[in-house]
Amino acid sequence: MQLGVPMNDLSRRLRAEEDELTAVFRDVLAEGRLIQGSHHTAFEQELAVFVGAEHCVGVASGTDALELCFRALTSPERRTIVTVANAGGYSTLAAQRAGLAVRFADVDPVTLCLDPSTLVGMLDDAVAAVVVTHLYGRAADVPAVLDVCDRAGIPVVEDCAQAIGATAPWGKTGSAGALSAFSFYPTKNLGALGDGGAVVTSDHHLAAKVRALRQYGWSSRYEVSVRGGCNSRLDELQAAFLRLRLPHVQMWNETRRSVIGRYSDAASSSTRVLEANGLWHAGHLAVVVTEDAADLARHLASRYVRTDVHYPIPDHRQPALAEMYADVHLPETEALTGRILSLPCFPEITEREVDLVCRALGEY
Ligand SMILES: *Cc1c(COP(=O)(O)O)cnc(C)c1O
């Protein structure tokens, strides 16, 4: 047995699900269709229904999902994406892969999600889309972002990679933007047994465009109707595994939220656990804000509690990009550097492990 509390342990669920996963694998073998078979079609339909949208397009990863969203929304005149700089850099990378420029908005110091007031003056005729990331599982305030973007005639892309199932008063995450991106990376709340992703939308025209883009730009076999296509498909096997897990997501999210709630109750006054106490949160990560995150990490490590940082370096200060964005200043985003720490949070964490983390947090 491992000493201490891991950040995550995927092997626990794999062990518990072994028989079911094996049965699914046999199913796919028996059908013999390895690309876009019946599980793939069914999963697309099931995820669209789950989110409350009309269409779902399976793709190879969350980063690809973002890139295909951007490719579907850009025009020769509009070649800039607006996003935040504190969300792991995926939207920035996706925009760069699509050959687009990136402008960074700042975040709200309480939610750490995009602060729509910082979009003022940023939304000119060059902007193709604004990305709103539901960070750590929290449903960001999409209506407030839409309010600003609708007036400028700019579509909103929701990055739902960390927040599948979060249910806000206006609907589930992914149901309000023009296009929404999902990731099924194994540690996400709905994880595959490898990489996977999806784009969700209620716009028939955009759905058709993303569907073409994910498969060589084809409108039908061997007929290229959309430029900028690629090969980014969701595997049949992964779709089949995801169908097995989708019905459990809300229950797993509930467990994650309750773990975060326990940490929140146990934390001493020198740490602030970001709240996750409602259906509007998917409980993806348990994040604390504190004066000196490295010091807290050392304290927790001395109590055998593993931690991580999501994310240590904002996009505009990454070594590969810093020169390009030297003039960009994001006061709230930069103020988080060195002050955030993620705690162990996954559905299979044991009571004893949560107790250990709580005790260590309380002692700090
Ligand atoms: C994980 C993640 C992605 C990228 O998903 P991949 O499937 O790993 O490419 C995008 N955005 C956010 C916020 C993520 O957490």
Short mmCIF file of all heavy atoms in Angstrom, two decimals, residues 1 37 43 86 99 110 119 128 130 157 168 178 190 200 202 210 226 241 282 296 311 327 335 361:
data_model
loop_
_atom_site.label_atom_id
_atom_site.label_comp_id
_atom_site.label_asym_id
_atom_site.label_seq_id
_atom_site.Cartn_x
_atom_site.Cartn_y
_atom_site.Cartn_z
N MET A 1 0.84 -1.20 0.00
CA MET A 1 0.00 0.00 0.00
C MET A 1 0.86 1.24 0.00
O MET A 1 1.92 1.28 0.61
CB MET A 1 -0.89 0.00 1.25
CG MET A 1 -2.14 0.86 1.07
SD MET A 1 -3.10 1.02 2.59
CE MET A 1 -2.31 2.40 3.38
N GLY A 37 -18.12 3.65 -35.01
CA GLY A 37 -19.13 2.58 -35.01
C GLY A 37 -20.33 3.00 -34.17
O GLY A 37 -20.55 4.18 -33.91
N PHE A 43 -22.62 7.54 -28.17
CA PHE A 43 -22.01 8.43 -27.17
C PHE A 43 -22.24 9.90 -27.55
O PHE A 43 -22.55 10.73 -26.70
CB PHE A 43 -20.52 8.16 -27.00
CG PHE A 43 -19.86 9.14 -26.07
CD1 PHE A 43 -20.14 9.12 -24.71
CD2 PHE A 43 -18.99 10.11 -26.56
CE1 PHE A 43 -19.57 10.04 -23.84
CE2 PHE A 43 -18.41 11.04 -25.70
CZ PHE A 43 -18.70 11.00 -24.34
N ASN A 86 -4.71 31.83 -16.91
CA ASN A 86 -4.47 31.03 -15.69
C ASN A 86 -5.05 29.62 -15.79
O ASN A 86 -5.26 28.96 -14.77
CB ASN A 86 -5.10 31.74 -14.47
CG ASN A 86 -6.62 31.71 -14.49
OD1 ASN A 86 -7.22 31.70 -15.57
ND2 ASN A 86 -7.23 31.68 -13.34
N GLY A 99 -3.13 29.00 -36.01
CA GLY A 99 -2.53 30.16 -36.65
C GLY A 99 -3.16 31.48 -36.23
O GLY A 99 -3.13 32.47 -36.98
N VAL A 110 -12.11 36.25 -6.84
CA VAL A 110 -12.85 35.31 -6.00
C VAL A 110 -13.08 33.99 -6.73
O VAL A 110 -12.81 32.91 -6.19
CB VAL A 110 -14.20 35.91 -5.54
CG1 VAL A 110 -15.04 34.87 -4.81
CG2 VAL A 110 -13.96 37.13 -4.66
N LEU A 119 -12.86 42.64 -20.42
CA LEU A 119 -12.97 42.50 -21.88
C LEU A 119 -13.15 43.85 -22.56
O LEU A 119 -12.97 43.98 -23.77
CB LEU A 119 -14.17 41.61 -22.25
CG LEU A 119 -14.09 40.13 -21.85
CD1 LEU A 119 -15.42 39.45 -22.10
CD2 LEU A 119 -12.98 39.43 -22.62
N ALA A 128 -12.29 36.73 -33.13
CA ALA A 128 -13.15 35.68 -33.67
C ALA A 128 -13.98 35.01 -32.58
O ALA A 128 -15.09 34.54 -32.83
CB ALA A 128 -12.31 34.62 -34.37
N VAL A 130 -14.37 34.54 -27.89
CA VAL A 130 -13.91 34.69 -26.51
C VAL A 130 -14.10 33.34 -25.83
O VAL A 130 -15.17 32.73 -25.94
CB VAL A 130 -14.72 35.78 -25.77
CG1 VAL A 130 -14.40 35.78 -24.28
CG2 VAL A 130 -14.45 37.16 -26.38
N VAL A 157 -16.88 30.62 -26.72
CA VAL A 157 -16.55 29.19 -26.65
C VAL A 157 -16.40 28.82 -25.18
O VAL A 157 -15.64 29.47 -24.45
CB VAL A 157 -15.24 28.88 -27.40
CG1 VAL A 157 -14.79 27.44 -27.15
CG2 VAL A 157 -15.41 29.13 -28.90
N ALA A 168 -25.61 25.16 -13.74
CA ALA A 168 -25.86 26.53 -13.30
C ALA A 168 -27.34 26.85 -13.54
O ALA A 168 -28.04 26.08 -14.21
CB ALA A 168 -24.97 27.48 -14.10
N ALA A 178 -21.60 29.35 -28.12
CA ALA A 178 -21.81 28.97 -29.52
C ALA A 178 -21.26 27.56 -29.74
O ALA A 178 -21.89 26.72 -30.38
CB ALA A 178 -21.11 29.95 -30.45
N LEU A 190 -15.04 13.05 -16.39
CA LEU A 190 -15.41 11.92 -17.25
C LEU A 190 -14.16 11.57 -18.03
O LEU A 190 -13.83 12.22 -19.01
CB LEU A 190 -16.56 12.30 -18.20
CG LEU A 190 -16.94 11.20 -19.21
CD1 LEU A 190 -17.43 9.94 -18.49
CD2 LEU A 190 -18.01 11.68 -20.19
N VAL A 200 -19.47 20.38 -28.41
CA VAL A 200 -20.92 20.35 -28.26
C VAL A 200 -21.48 21.70 -28.71
O VAL A 200 -20.88 22.74 -28.45
CB VAL A 200 -21.29 20.05 -26.78
CG1 VAL A 200 -22.76 20.34 -26.51
CG2 VAL A 200 -20.95 18.60 -26.45
N SER A 202 -25.49 23.74 -30.21
CA SER A 202 -26.86 23.62 -30.69
C SER A 202 -27.03 24.27 -32.04
O SER A 202 -28.14 24.39 -32.55
CB SER A 202 -27.83 24.23 -29.66
OG SER A 202 -27.91 23.38 -28.53
N VAL A 210 -17.62 21.57 -37.74
CA VAL A 210 -16.68 20.86 -36.87
C VAL A 210 -16.60 19.39 -37.28
O VAL A 210 -15.52 18.78 -37.30
CB VAL A 210 -17.08 21.00 -35.38
CG1 VAL A 210 -16.20 20.13 -34.49
CG2 VAL A 210 -16.99 22.46 -34.95
N VAL A 226 -14.43 21.84 -46.49
CA VAL A 226 -14.01 22.83 -45.50
C VAL A 226 -12.49 22.82 -45.42
O VAL A 226 -11.88 21.76 -45.26
CB VAL A 226 -14.60 22.53 -44.10
CG1 VAL A 226 -14.21 23.62 -43.11
CG2 VAL A 226 -16.12 22.40 -44.17
N PHE A 241 -16.09 3.00 -23.75
CA PHE A 241 -15.76 3.13 -22.33
C PHE A 241 -16.46 4.36 -21.72
O PHE A 241 -16.95 4.31 -20.59
CB PHE A 241 -14.24 3.27 -22.14
CG PHE A 241 -13.45 2.05 -22.51
CD1 PHE A 241 -12.24 2.15 -23.18
CD2 PHE A 241 -13.91 0.78 -22.18
CE1 PHE A 241 -11.49 1.03 -23.52
CE2 PHE A 241 -13.17 -0.37 -22.51
CZ PHE A 241 -11.97 -0.23 -23.19
N ALA A 282 -18.47 21.24 -10.52
CA ALA A 282 -18.25 19.82 -10.82
C ALA A 282 -17.21 19.21 -9.88
O ALA A 282 -16.92 18.01 -9.96
CB ALA A 282 -17.82 19.64 -12.27
N LEU A 296 2.95 25.86 2.38
CA LEU A 296 1.84 24.95 2.68
C LEU A 296 2.12 23.56 2.08
O LEU A 296 1.87 22.54 2.73
CB LEU A 296 0.52 25.52 2.14
CG LEU A 296 -0.71 24.62 2.27
CD1 LEU A 296 -1.00 24.26 3.73
CD2 LEU A 296 -1.94 25.29 1.64
N TYR A 311 -2.30 26.57 -12.05
CA TYR A 311 -1.09 26.17 -12.77
C TYR A 311 0.02 27.09 -12.32
O TYR A 311 -0.25 28.26 -12.00
CB TYR A 311 -1.35 26.26 -14.28
CG TYR A 311 -2.44 25.27 -14.69
CD1 TYR A 311 -3.78 25.63 -14.68
CD2 TYR A 311 -2.11 23.95 -15.02
CE1 TYR A 311 -4.77 24.73 -15.02
CE2 TYR A 311 -3.10 23.05 -15.38
CZ TYR A 311 -4.43 23.43 -15.36
OH TYR A 311 -5.43 22.53 -15.67
N ASP A 327 4.58 43.04 -22.82
CA ASP A 327 3.82 44.25 -22.47
C ASP A 327 2.50 43.95 -21.78
O ASP A 327 1.79 44.86 -21.37
CB ASP A 327 3.49 45.04 -23.75
CG ASP A 327 4.75 45.56 -24.41
OD1 ASP A 327 5.79 45.63 -23.72
OD2 ASP A 327 4.70 45.89 -25.62
N ALA A 335 -1.13 37.93 -9.53
CA ALA A 335 -1.15 37.90 -8.07
C ALA A 335 -1.33 36.47 -7.53
O ALA A 335 -1.03 36.18 -6.38
CB ALA A 335 -2.25 38.81 -7.53
N LEU A 361 -4.44 20.10 7.15
CA LEU A 361 -4.85 21.48 6.80
C LEU A 361 -5.15 22.28 8.05
O LEU A 361 -4.77 23.46 8.15
CB LEU A 361 -6.14 21.43 5.96
CG LEU A 361 -6.06 21.33 4.46
CD1 LEU A 361 -7.49 21.28 3.89
CD2 LEU A 361 -5.28 22.49 3.85
#
